[in-house]
Amino acid sequence: MRKLVLFLGVIWLSVPLVAQEVGLQLYSLRNQFKTDVQGTLEIIKDWGITKIEGGGTYGLSMDTFQDLLKKNNLDVVSVGASFEDLEENPQRVIENAKAFGAKYVMCAWVPHDGNKWDLAETKHATEVFNKAGKLLKKNGLILAYHAHGYEFRPYKNGTLFDYMAENAKHFTFELDVFWAHHGGADPLALMKKYPSKFTLMHLKDMEKGIKGNNTGEEDVETNVILGQGQVDIAGTVAEAKKLGIEYMFIEDESSRVVEQVPKSLEYLKELE
């Protein structure tokens, strides 16, 4: 049975199947964490979520934060890592992931000059991820790159993402369905094309009528309740289950996250 996980930023309802399949990306609740770390973790617990994606302690000591996680029955299964650390200090990444007891390490952004992203940047990022991923693998960790849209620019008969996917030897990918769609790709088609490349997923929907681009930038308020936007959430969730993607994290970056996540969870339950 798979798990839908919220990237420390989204939460799920206390519905048995959903609680087993969906998690939260903690970035979703970044504003709530600023004022009340303990209370925010309690909200996640009340939603019924047990698996989260995070990596920070929000100003608390690791021991204190870990105690709060345990108190609220929250398990960090994936942690974020910067591209800079993966390139220059992968040991720091390994130590942080192990401190949380995580299985996955995800990187969500590759720094680049303004809107400049071409084959040279793509090749460099791929080399860094392969090198770091090989080391992480030796330490029992799986590295997943979270594409943000600029990777879907044209290259030969496909895209720059195709270059990355075809040359990913020691790392996998976390598919953010919002950013893939926003960048001009079809998330469902990507999963069918690369069935063994995606190990994690971010569930996020985009307001109808919004036109995407491949810059990796968009107003966070365009994040809407799952199933109410223009992304094929039902199709991607069904395919993720078929492929055995272990964790699907709800990520809602809007200011309405606390109100929207429960409704997103209700929608996901309807898909069962």
Side-chain angles (χ1 to χ4, degrees):
M1 189 114 15
R2 297 161 202 67
K3 301 165 181 145
L4 281 172
V5 185
L6 290 180
F7 201 154
L8 295 182
V10 182
I11 308 159
W12 61 26
L13 299 174
S14 55
V15 179
L17 182 56
V18 175
Q20 292 174 349
E21 296 184 339
V22 183
L24 173 71
Q25 167 37 270
L26 291 189
Y27 185 72
S28 303
L29 297 173
R30 61 198 179 283
N31 294 320
Q32 288 74 14
F33 275 114
K34 290 177 183 178
T35 58
D36 187 358
V37 176
Q38 179 171 328
T40 302
L41 294 176
E42 290 174 354
I43 290 174
I44 299 174
K45 177 184 179 181
D46 290 344
W47 280 342
I49 294 174
T50 61
K51 306 297 181 184
I52 54 178
E53 184 175 58
T57 62
Y58 301 93
L60 302 179
S61 68
M62 178 62 80
D63 288 343
T64 299
F65 190 68
Q66 290 278 36
D67 286 344
L68 288 176
L69 290 176
K70 185 176 181 180
K71 178 181 178 182
N72 289 285
N73 193 32
L74 297 173
D75 182 18
V76 179
V77 296
S78 175
V79 298
S82 70
F83 182 80
E84 294 89 340
D85 274 351
L86 287 169
E87 181 175 26
E88 302 168 8
N89 195 349
Q91 191 58 43
R92 176 188 297 168
V93 174
I94 292 169
E95 291 172 359
N96 187 55
K98 286 185 174 293
F100 278 105
K103 176 179 179 180
Y104 294 93
V105 170
M106 63 80 72
C107 178
W109 187 267
V110 179
H112 50 284
D113 183 13
N115 194 34
K116 183 179 182 295
W117 181 269
D118 56 23
L119 183 59
E121 280 78 18
T122 303
K123 285 185 173 180
H124 176 62
T126 303
E127 291 170 358
V128 170
F129 290 138
N130 273 325
K131 183 177 180 180
K134 187 174 183 179
L135 180 59
L136 266 62
K137 193 183 302 182
K138 289 181 179 178
N139 285 269
L141 301 167
I142 299 171
L143 176 61
Y145 175 53
H146 171 307
H148 240 99
Y150 45 83
E151 306 86 349
F152 298 109
R153 296 177 184 186
Y155 172 65
K156 291 189 175 180
N157 295 322
T159 67
L160 291 169
F161 180 85
D162 289 314
Y163 176 90
M164 296 189 80
E166 291 164 6
N167 289 279
K169 308 302 181 185
H170 300 293
F171 69 97
T172 63
F173 294 89
E174 178 170 57
L175 177 62
D176 186 308
V177 297
F178 175 103
W179 285 115
H181 180 88
H182 191 272
D186 179 342
L188 182 56
L190 283 175
M191 286 190 285
K192 291 183 176 180
K193 185 175 184 178
Y194 300 110
S196 65
K197 296 293 185 178
F198 296 103
T199 52
L200 298 173
M201 178 181 286
H202 278 180
L203 294 175
K204 185 190 309 178
D205 209 344
M206 183 167 69
E207 180 183 342
K208 292 180 179 179
I210 297 296
K211 184 177 180 179
N213 57 60
N214 55 24
T215 66
E217 298 180 358
E218 185 54 77
D219 185 346
V220 297
E221 298 304 333
T222 62
N223 289 194
V224 297
I225 297 165
L226 296 180
Q228 293 191 5
Q230 55 181 288
V231 180
D232 180 8
I233 300 297
T236 54
V237 167
E239 187 67 17
K241 291 181 178 182
K242 185 188 303 182
L243 296 180
I245 291 179
E246 191 168 11
Y247 296 108
M248 290 180 273
F249 301 96
I250 293 177
E251 184 178 35
D252 187 331
E253 300 183 49
S254 76
S255 61
R256 305 174 302 280
V257 54
V258 176
E259 292 75 30
Q260 290 192 166
V261 170
K263 295 178 181 178
S264 289
L265 289 168
E266 290 175 2
Y267 170 77
L268 292 174
K269 184 177 183 296
E270 293 173 359
L271 299 181
E272 299 168 16

